[in-house]
Amino acid sequence: MERISWNQYFMAQSHLLALRSTCTRLMVGATIVRDKRIIAGGYNGSVTGNVHCIDEGCYVIDGHCVRTVHAEINALLQCAKFGVATEGAEIYVTHFPCLQCCKSIIQGGIKKVYFAADYKNHPYAIELFQDAGVVVEKVKLEQVSVELHMQEKKDYVDKLLDKLETSVEDTSEIAAIKQEAQRLFT
């Protein structure tokens, strides 16, 4: 078995953090790393103790949900809250940072931004990153997944295959498909 790269490892952490998001429009996670060590993580959600999008819907003004604090900002604020320096650190984000997050990342002294998915990549954010000397790189996650309902999916596929097997005359092809499904789910 081949080990995943550091970039994939930290990006997987960001995807895991995104699962905690309370925004119904887009689940985002961010992980701040220095010297191959995680120093903070954040996800997009409401201000502590306030109403969440999952409870009352998004509060959208000018196309943006203003109820949430973005994942990148939550991670940066976690560092500030606990006195952890971000100068020279790297950040892994599930989606390309918005313009406001871009500016905060630069001000926080972060030198590398890794993202998994393009999301309204603002031209000025790209320009600001370039002007500040911040390296921006897209990281593909091909080998890593968080499977939330694997047993349910396996049971469903098994049920479908059993039903298909009883409805066809030549079951040799179904046997091969069952074998492949078994391999994929184990």
Side-chain angles (χ1 to χ4, degrees):
M1 179 176 94
E2 189 176 324
R3 291 171 61 182
I4 62 173
S5 70
W6 282 110
N7 284 349
Q8 288 179 326
Y9 172 75
F10 295 125
M11 190 59 74
Q13 178 68 33
S14 294
H15 280 278
L16 192 60
L17 282 162
L19 294 175
R20 290 280 307 149
S21 172
T22 61
C23 184
T24 57
R25 295 178 72 217
L26 185 68
M27 297 171 74
V28 180
T31 305
I32 301 177
V33 175
R34 190 177 46 244
D35 300 324
K36 304 268 187 276
R37 300 289 180 261
I38 296 171
I39 60 173
Y43 53 88
N44 57 330
S46 298
V47 173
T48 303
N50 212 315
V51 173
H52 296 282
C53 297
I54 57 174
D55 299 324
E56 292 190 11
C58 291
Y59 183 12
V60 179
I61 297 176
D62 295 330
H64 298 281
C65 179
V66 296
R67 188 183 306 280
T68 60
V69 178
H70 289 192
E72 302 93 322
I73 301 300
N74 269 326
L76 287 164
L77 290 171
Q78 187 179 72
C79 287
K81 186 175 185 176
F82 295 108
V84 178
T86 56
E87 184 69 36
E90 303 171 340
I91 190 166
Y92 292 79
V93 190
T94 56
H95 296 77
F96 190 87
C98 74
L99 184 55
Q100 296 306 315
C101 287
C102 160
K103 292 187 276 186
S104 296
I105 288 167
I106 292 167
Q107 289 300 98
I110 290 177
K111 294 300 178 197
K112 290 184 181 175
V113 175
Y114 298 97
F115 68 100
D118 291 303
Y119 184 73
K120 300 179 182 179
N121 302 22
H122 197 286
Y124 188 51
I126 295 167
E127 181 183 331
L128 286 173
F129 280 141
Q130 288 172 344
D131 291 349
V134 174
V135 175
V136 178
E137 184 180 321
K138 191 170 189 175
V139 174
K140 289 186 178 183
L141 264 183
E142 297 169 349
Q143 300 175 2
V144 179
S145 71
V146 176
E147 184 55 65
L148 300 178
H149 304 283
M150 188 164 91
Q151 190 59 48
E152 284 178 66
K153 290 176 183 177
K154 181 186 180 311
D155 293 345
Y156 185 74
V157 168
D158 288 344
K159 183 178 173 181
L160 287 174
L161 290 173
D162 288 342
K163 190 168 190 152
L164 185 60
E165 189 173 43
T166 61
S167 67
V168 296
E169 289 182 23
D170 181 13
T171 60
S172 60
E173 188 176 358
I174 302 299
I177 293 171
K178 276 187 165 185
Q179 190 174 20
E180 180 63 11
Q182 183 67 26
R183 184 189 68 79
L184 290 172
F185 283 110
T186 55

